[in-house]
Amino acid sequence: MKKFLTALSAVFVLSLVIAAKDAPPPGAEREVQTTAAQATATQPTVTVTETPADATSESGPAPSVTATPRPSTSESEEADGVSALLAGLEVKGKAPRTGYEREEFGQRWSDDVTVEFGHNGCDTRNDILRRDLRELEVRPGTHGCVAQSGLLDEPYTGEVRRFDRGTDEASRIHIDHVVALANAWETGAQFWDAETRRNFANDPRNLLAVDGSANQSKGAGDAATWQPPNKAFRCDYATRQVEVKAAYGLWVTPAEKDALERELGRCPSRAAAP
């Protein structure tokens, strides 16, 4: 029995020795915990941030997906466009007026056309009067067609004219072809078909309500032989002439081109340019 207790004590002591060898030294566990905590504290923090659309990166600004509004056309750009149209017109002398008659351009103020206001149930003269008169009154019972009265800011003289149908004042207001029909005939219209000539004679782009005496003074003159007495309107007048001639493929004479260039160069947008 004594020998058995001695052997058991020896085994117990040996177990203690082995456990002591495997155990960490005093404070080691605390040191490991501290080191882990320090490692966690010093670990860099990574934050994912969405870059705003207008932020700038190292490679440059981020692309924008906002649609850019189309810039409006300035007066200067418009004048440049008209000058470009003029530069594109053929330049040569007038053809003979042989064969010209007003009837070559169809029935006066015909509604049977394919230009603006065509086939609207109203004649072209009343279409232009309704467009150009202010304080307009329309005759009842005409389906909104017939201009009865109104005031005209007359472009050729710069004065105000009263229009009252059936009076002398009404007869003094004419509808003018800015590019005269006879001038058109001499610069290309004699080669057109009947439909094109009829459209030209009723195209609102080429028509203005004007003072009758000024219209008679103009006659069939082109830009080289006649300009509106109202100098403030000459830029618009030249612009209309160029746009109409370009639209219909009419040519200009050398003197006519010079006159148009001169008046376009005097347009307010050009005069104000540095």
Side-chain angles (χ1 to χ4, degrees):
M1 185 66 178
K2 185 177 180 179
K3 291 180 178 181
F4 173 77
L5 291 174
T6 302
L8 183 61
S9 298
V11 171
F12 178 73
V13 171
L14 180 61
S15 298
L16 291 176
V17 172
I18 293 173
K21 288 183 177 180
D22 293 335
E29 182 177 356
R30 187 166 57 250
E31 181 180 351
V32 170
Q33 292 176 347
T34 303
T35 303
Q38 291 174 345
T40 302
T42 58
Q43 182 72 19
T45 301
V46 178
T47 303
V48 178
T49 304
E50 293 184 3
T51 304
D54 59 350
T56 303
S57 67
E58 293 180 358
S59 58
S64 173
V65 295
T66 304
T68 302
R70 183 178 179 181
S72 59
T73 302
S74 67
E75 290 183 0
S76 179
E77 290 172 332
E78 184 177 353
D80 290 341
V82 176
S83 294
L85 288 178
L86 177 58
L89 296 181
E90 186 177 6
V91 181
K92 59 182 180 180
K94 293 179 181 178
R97 197 178 292 190
T98 306
Y100 169 73
E101 298 289 344
R102 173 61 179 85
E103 290 71 22
E104 292 293 334
F105 289 84
Q107 179 183 349
R108 291 176 184 268
W109 312 129
S110 173
D111 188 41
D112 185 20
V113 292
T114 57
V115 293
E116 186 183 6
F117 303 148
H119 299 287
N120 68 350
C122 191
D123 64 279
T124 303
R125 174 178 169 81
N126 275 293
D127 287 335
I128 302 304
L129 286 172
R130 292 197 317 276
R131 184 196 68 182
D132 291 357
L133 294 177
R134 58 183 173 86
E135 299 184 18
L136 172 69
E137 293 187 11
V138 177
R139 178 180 293 179
T142 62
H143 303 286
C145 172
V146 178
Q148 182 63 37
S149 64
L151 296 176
L152 175 67
D153 294 317
E154 204 285 322
Y156 288 173
T157 64
E159 299 176 358
V160 177
R161 295 281 188 267
R162 178 76 189 177
F163 175 85
D164 282 301
R165 186 170 294 277
T167 66
D168 290 342
E169 285 82 2
S171 63
R172 294 191 185 109
I173 293 180
H174 293 186
I175 306 300
D176 179 42
H177 292 93
V178 177
V179 176
L181 299 184
N183 177 264
W185 182 267
E186 296 170 326
T187 58
Q190 59 185 275
F191 305 108
W192 296 345
D193 58 30
E195 181 181 7
T196 303
R197 286 199 289 266
R198 188 168 63 249
N199 280 338
F200 180 82
N202 294 277
D203 193 330
R205 294 175 294 180
N206 193 38
L207 297 172
L208 287 174
V210 301
D211 175 74
S213 59
N215 187 37
Q216 291 175 341
S217 173
K218 170 188 171 180
D222 60 19
T225 60
W226 189 87
Q227 287 289 330
N230 177 19
K231 293 183 179 181
F233 187 70
R234 289 184 179 181
C235 172
D236 288 339
Y237 183 75
T239 296
R240 281 179 176 264
Q241 289 238 340
V242 171
E243 290 177 342
V244 169
K245 289 213 164 191
Y248 283 88
L250 297 171
W251 68 77
V252 292
T253 67
E256 184 181 4
K257 183 177 182 180
D258 289 345
L260 290 169
E261 287 180 335
R262 180 180 65 249
E263 295 306 329
L264 291 176
R266 292 172 176 171
C267 288
S269 58
R270 293 291 182 84

